[in-house]
Amino acid sequence: MNEPEGIKPFFKGPLTLGQRLKFKFRAGCIPLNSKLAHIQKCSRACSLCGAEVEDIPHFILHCPKLKILRDALVSEISESATKTVLDSFNGLEDLLKAAAILSDSFWGDAQESINQCVMTFLADAWRLRCNHMYGAQSHYWVEPAD
């Protein structure tokens, strides 16, 4: 995705978890199992659903354990983006779809509202993953409601 140079909008103001994660996903330095398997001996399988490979497209687009969170993101995208942009997005392969979701320019006039939803999705999905993997030892842990 061709994007203008300069300070990215997700770096304005105090950095939230969503902003940090968006940067890490875009930079390819997010510690998903597909990446960790190259560094240390571990499985490439998804930590949440057990799928064969936990990579960026799987995490953002396919993991069934993130369906509810993803549905909220898809709903916002469908409501905010133009039909032309949505048609273009739907025609992309998975890797390019993930890149479009993380992009700062793909969504045109709807970019700001979609960007907020993307960062919320990433933060909530990452918390869920960490809580699943580490339980109460996760620094994202929130005590379940009764």
Side-chain angles (χ1 to χ4, degrees):
M1 304 283 159
N2 292 331
E3 294 187 359
E5 292 184 24
I7 302 286
K8 301 298 180 195
F10 56 89
F11 279 139
K12 293 180 180 172
L15 290 179
T16 64
L17 175 61
Q19 289 168 314
R20 291 192 315 265
L21 287 168
K22 183 173 179 182
F23 173 79
K24 287 183 174 200
F25 272 91
R26 287 174 56 130
C29 63
I30 195 77
L32 295 172
N33 288 343
S34 63
K35 182 170 184 68
L36 294 176
H38 292 291
I39 300 168
Q40 58 192 7
K41 286 202 180 245
C42 72
S43 171
R44 293 171 41 102
C46 179
S47 299
L48 289 170
C49 72
E52 188 176 328
V53 177
E54 180 186 54
D55 57 8
I56 292 172
H58 172 77
F59 189 83
I60 293 175
L61 302 171
H62 300 296
C63 184
K65 299 291 185 176
L66 302 176
K67 182 181 181 343
I68 293 171
L69 298 174
R70 187 179 311 103
D71 286 350
L73 174 61
V74 169
S75 176
E76 177 63 29
I77 289 172
S78 297
E79 290 174 15
S80 301
T82 65
K83 182 179 178 345
T84 305
V85 174
L86 279 175
D87 289 345
S88 175
F89 175 74
N90 289 327
L92 297 173
E93 294 178 11
D94 283 353
L95 187 59
L96 291 176
K97 273 187 181 178
I101 287 172
L102 298 169
S103 171
D104 282 332
S105 60
F106 185 84
W107 304 105
D109 293 340
Q111 185 62 47
E112 192 170 324
S113 64
I114 291 173
N115 187 48
Q116 287 304 311
C117 289
V118 167
M119 289 189 294
T120 298
F121 166 78
L122 293 174
D124 292 346
W126 195 253
R127 280 187 192 101
L128 192 125
R129 180 185 185 270
C130 290
N131 289 348
H132 176 79
M133 291 176 66
Y134 308 114
Q137 281 70 41
S138 169
H139 60 279
Y140 301 117
W141 180 257
V142 175
E143 198 63 40
D146 290 333

